[in-house]
Every structure is written in C-alpha cells, then in structure tokens.
Amino acid sequence: MSHRESPVLIAPSILSADFLNLGRDIRMLNQSSADWIHVDIMDGNFVPNISFGMPLLEAVGSIAEKPLDVHLMITKPEKFLKRFKELGADMISVHYEGSFHLHSTVMKIKELGMKAGVVLNPHTPVHVLDAILPYADYVLLMSVNPGFGGQKFIDGSIEKVRELRRLIDQQKLQTLIQVDGGINTDNAHLLIAAGADVLVAGSAVFCDEDPTRVINQLKGLDN
Ligand code: DX5
Ligand code: ZN
C-alpha cells in the first residue's frame, strides 16, 4: 500500500518522443492523464550524450499545458537557470554530483519561482541528502545511469526509494520522491509501494503504440 492517497504522478520523458512529430506528441500528453512533462537536457560533458537545448524547450513550452519538469544533466547548471525559467521551466532538478554549491543552486531555482529538485545517480547513497533535504521540493533518484533512454532498471533503486521515504517521513517533510530510468508497467507498482511520488517514463510511454493507455496503467487507472 502506498503512503499516498492520490494516484502517483506520471512525468513522461520526451527524450523518447518522435521529434519529427513532437507537436503531436506534446498535444497527446496534454490530453492524457500525465501530470508533468519531463525534459532531459544533456550537454555531452556531465553525461556521455547530447540531447537538446533551449530552442526545443521553448517550442515545447509554447504548447505544453502541463508543468515542464526540466532535468539538467549538465555541468555548471547554475549558469542557465534564469534562461530555463524564461523558456517555460516550472521545475528544475540538478545533480548532487554536478553541483559544487548545491544549496546555493537550489535556493536560486526557488528564488526564480520554480520548484527545485536534487538528483542522485545510482551510485550515490541517499544519506548525502541529509543537509539539503529540507530545502528541496523533490528528490529525483536515478534508476539507470543518466544519459540515455531505454536502459534496464537497476533493481537496487527500490531500496533507495524506501530509505529516502523513511528519511523524509522521519523529518516530517513534504519532499516528493521522483524516480527516473527503466520504469515500465511491470515495476511501477514496486516503486509506488516503496514510497515514490512521481514516476518518469520515456521509452515505456513513447515506444508503445498506445502511449495514453501506458500512462493510465502506470498511474494505476487502467489495468
Ligand atoms: C536518462 C533520462 C531519463 C530517460 C528515461 O538519462 O534522465 O529521463 O529519458 O528513459 P526511459 O524511461 O526509457 O528509461
Ligand atoms: Zn530524466
């Protein structure tokens, strides 16, 4: 049984969308039960891949009717926060591993009027969050190594969700737990039971012939 009374939030990652039909895919998300639109920004430096940047975010933001959840996999994320806000970001998450001054970056995201998330790579233990947790609106636990869609879910991630749930509940915080990577209709219920609040799914949604149905299934609305 989940700690949540409301259904888990679903944030489809447009990294796996059809870029030749991106407008169609965003409108599909607008019509679906998806809660946030997850946008993966990669710089080829922090992660071994380059995804897309400012012009694409701006285009998506011009038609998106759901909050834009921007996951920054870039070095020096603090340099670009204002620009991402101007382009339509509603929330921004930055990696613990990529931020020398994480507290300052989190505060800057919030001062700009956005929700702030802190991301942990699969090898980073949850206890490093102790000091930053009260300041973060959400924590994103990576359940694959960041950089690519379509990778296999790392099983140990479920225990990390449980551990983080305990930490958040012990401190009586409202911080949301988001999980990202390799999530599908087979493992979503395990993450929800462990205490996840938001599930990111890229390939499971966009590589299916009926993305709307998958979003409903991930949310537990359609079995
Ligand atoms: C990976 C990205 C993910 C990715 C998830 O670095 O952060 O958001 O798009 O894709 P799937 O759901 O296919 O693992
Ligand atoms: Zn992501």
Side-chain angles (χ1 to χ4, degrees):
M1 194 52 201
S2 157
H3 69 291
R4 301 176 59 82
E5 285 171 17
S6 49
V8 70
L9 303 179
I10 304 297
S13 162
I14 59 167
L15 188 62
S16 294
D18 176 355
F19 293 149
L20 291 179
N21 289 291
L22 190 56
R24 180 202 65 193
D25 283 359
I26 301 298
R27 288 187 191 93
M28 177 277 293
L29 295 180
N30 286 344
Q31 299 301 314
S32 76
S33 64
D35 298 279
W36 301 350
I37 297 177
H38 187 81
V39 184
D40 289 299
I41 309 279
M42 305 176 184
D43 68 354
N45 190 17
F46 180 71
V47 287
N49 195 15
I50 297 175
S51 56
F52 40 70
M54 314 287 185
L56 188 127
L57 178 63
E58 186 170 23
V60 169
S62 71
I63 60 165
E65 293 168 6
K66 312 259 165 124
L68 292 185
D69 158 31
V70 177
H71 173 191
L72 293 184
M73 286 160 275
I74 63 176
T75 54
K76 299 199 170 50
E78 64 280 0
K79 279 171 61 180
F80 303 101
L81 301 175
K82 189 158 175 282
R83 188 81 188 105
F84 282 121
K85 164 73 180 172
E86 288 164 358
L87 296 177
D90 294 284
M91 50 196 114
I92 289 184
S93 56
V94 293
H95 275 256
Y96 167 85
E97 302 85 359
S99 309
F100 285 120
H101 301 287
L102 184 59
H103 177 268
S104 154
T105 303
V106 162
M107 297 315 280
K108 197 164 163 198
I109 294 170
K110 296 191 345 173
E111 277 159 24
L112 287 165
M114 296 176 284
K115 300 278 186 213
V118 173
V119 194
L120 295 189
N121 276 335
H123 72 276
T124 306
V126 161
H127 68 77
V128 303
L129 292 167
D130 272 356
I132 196 70
L133 206 50
Y135 303 96
D137 296 299
Y138 59 107
V139 171
L140 169 48
L141 295 178
M142 289 306 302
S143 41
V144 299
N145 286 293
F148 302 91
Q151 302 182 78
K152 190 182 172 307
F153 182 83
I154 298 171
D155 287 327
S157 315
I158 294 169
E159 189 46 43
K160 281 178 81 174
V161 174
R162 265 190 221 112
E163 215 180 308
L164 180 56
R165 178 84 269 149
R166 275 197 297 273
L167 216 59
I168 290 170
D169 290 350
Q170 271 163 12
Q171 297 187 37
K172 296 192 170 44
L173 298 169
Q174 299 301 316
T175 324
L176 297 178
I177 303 178
Q178 185 179 37
V179 193
D180 181 7
I183 297 176
N184 54 41
T185 50
D186 292 332
N187 55 25
H189 68 283
L190 300 172
L191 292 163
I192 296 167
D197 300 292
V198 190
L199 303 181
V200 176
S203 50
V205 169
F206 288 103
C207 299
D208 194 276
E209 61 185 21
D210 191 348
T212 303
R213 188 192 56 194
V214 174
I215 295 166
N216 284 338
Q217 287 173 338
L218 290 169
K219 257 184 118 75
L221 299 176
D222 176 4
N223 291 303

